[in-house]
């Protein structure tokens, strides 16, 4: 009986990991329904003018150390899936971009703060750098235009080092 329980728990653990990242979903084969079945309901969805799903956002955590974006072609087939909380994607954020442009690159943010004295609205994402240090990435928007005015990477204040 104990062996069956251990085997079942191991299978459930492996299944949970696959659902977390969508491991096993095949490019060019998986549909929106397949992705949602494997990864759950997305936090954000973007559609084209014809109403077809183009992109799904899957922030993971509660702290959100990784966030997956899944992209689809005009036939509704997955063309790629990528973890977007990393330096490669952070460099895609440019001064002057809109909030929607930022969300399409990084997905939902972890938290937000207003700084009236700086006329800034900050969105923050938690992430791990290449040495697995817990870091924060901040995008500051001008509160009048809601366009990106700066970005910053810094040690995450929610987690102690060591």
């Amino acid at each position: 009986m104990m062996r069956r329980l251990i085997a079942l728990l191991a299978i459930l653990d492996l299944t949970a990991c696959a659902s977390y990242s969508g491991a096993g979903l095949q490019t060019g084969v998986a549909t929106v329904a397949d992705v949602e079945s494997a990864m759950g309901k997305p936090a954000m969805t973007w559609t084209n003018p014809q109403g077809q799903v183009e992109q799904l956002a899957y922030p993971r955590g509660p702290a959100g150390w990784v966030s997956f974006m899944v992209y689809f072609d005009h036939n509704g087939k997955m063309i790629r899936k990528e973890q977007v909380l990393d330096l490669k994607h952070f460099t895609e954020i440019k001064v002057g971009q809109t909030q929607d442009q930022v969300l399409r690159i990084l997905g939902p943010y972890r938290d937000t703060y207003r700084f009236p004295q700086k006329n800034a609205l900050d969105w923050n994402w938690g992430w791990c750098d290449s040495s697995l240090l817990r870091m924060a990435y901040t995008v500051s928007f001008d509160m009048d235009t809601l366009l990106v005015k700066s970005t910053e990477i810094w040690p995450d204040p929610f987690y102690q080092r060591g």
Side-chain angles (χ1 to χ4, degrees):
M1 178 67 176
M2 185 59 116
R3 286 185 191 193
R4 284 187 189 168
L5 179 60
I6 291 172
L8 178 61
L9 290 175
I11 290 168
L12 289 174
D13 187 44
L14 290 173
T15 305
C17 290
S19 297
Y20 181 84
S21 68
L25 293 170
Q26 295 182 352
T27 301
V29 176
T31 64
V32 172
D34 295 332
V35 171
E36 288 183 351
S37 176
M39 298 180 74
K41 183 178 186 277
M44 299 183 87
T45 301
W46 289 270
T47 57
N48 64 20
Q50 293 74 38
Q52 297 170 301
V53 172
E54 290 183 321
Q55 182 178 344
L56 300 175
Y58 287 94
R60 300 301 196 202
W65 299 111
V66 295
S67 192
F68 295 97
M69 288 291 186
V70 185
Y71 304 88
F72 299 89
D73 65 16
H74 63 280
N75 294 318
K77 300 290 184 182
M78 183 177 82
I79 54 176
R80 76 182 186 279
K81 174 179 54 75
E82 54 192 26
Q83 196 289 110
V84 296
L85 297 183
D86 58 21
L87 290 174
K88 174 185 177 275
H89 291 88
F90 296 157
T91 61
E92 294 178 23
I93 307 300
K94 307 290 185 207
V95 170
Q97 286 179 317
T98 66
Q99 290 179 331
D100 188 57
Q101 288 172 308
V102 172
L103 289 171
R104 283 194 78 139
I105 295 168
L106 300 178
Y109 47 87
R110 176 183 71 192
D111 52 49
T112 184
Y113 297 96
R114 293 184 183 279
F115 297 97
Q117 69 280 15
K118 295 189 327 182
N119 194 41
L121 169 67
D122 287 3
W123 288 356
N124 299 297
W125 289 262
W127 65 291
C128 288
D129 69 9
S130 60
S131 60
L132 300 180
L133 292 175
R134 293 180 175 185
M135 303 293 286
Y137 179 71
T138 299
V139 176
S140 264
F141 296 93
D142 180 282
M143 284 185 11
D144 295 328
T145 64
L146 298 180
L147 299 177
V148 174
K149 64 190 230 175
S150 66
T151 64
E152 182 179 8
I153 293 174
W154 48 293
D156 196 326
F158 293 136
Y159 296 91
Q160 295 179 359
R161 300 237 180 252

